[in-house]
């Protein structure tokens, strides 16, 4: 099982894989490929960003219980 979550980047039609602990509401990070700033907000128009925001904390908790 990978410790990364896939997030699709709408500007380049590709994906980036941030660590779950970095995905929080209001957090932003640049895409590793195109340097577009991705902002994780629950009000985002992008489905992939909202999905990653909901999966991130749960995935991080699951990884902690496995270790």
């Amino acid at each position: 099982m990978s410790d990364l979550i896939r997030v699709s980047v709408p500007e380049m039609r590709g994906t980036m894989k941030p660590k779950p602990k970095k995905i929080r509401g209001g957090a932003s990070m640049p895409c590793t490929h195109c340097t577009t700033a991705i902002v994780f907000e629950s009000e985002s128009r992008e489905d992939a960003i909202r999905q990653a925001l909901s999966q991130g904390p749960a995935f991080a908790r699951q990884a902690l219980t496995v270790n």
Side-chain angles (χ1 to χ4, degrees):
M1 181 158 114
S2 175
D3 62 342
L4 303 173
I5 292 179
R6 288 183 176 263
V7 178
S8 64
V9 181
E11 284 77 13
M12 69 170 207
R13 294 188 178 136
T15 59
M16 63 180 273
K17 298 176 190 173
K19 292 188 178 195
K21 65 182 180 182
K22 294 190 177 203
I23 299 176
R24 288 177 282 218
S28 68
M29 64 182 61
C31 173
T32 55
H33 304 288
C34 67
T35 66
T36 300
I38 304 296
V39 180
F40 295 99
E41 294 180 340
S42 59
E43 298 86 25
S44 176
R45 288 186 272 155
E46 299 297 326
D47 292 334
I49 292 174
R50 289 194 312 267
Q51 184 179 11
L53 188 57
S54 66
Q55 288 177 349
F59 193 86
R61 281 192 302 273
Q62 180 183 11
L64 288 175
T65 59
V66 170
N67 294 328

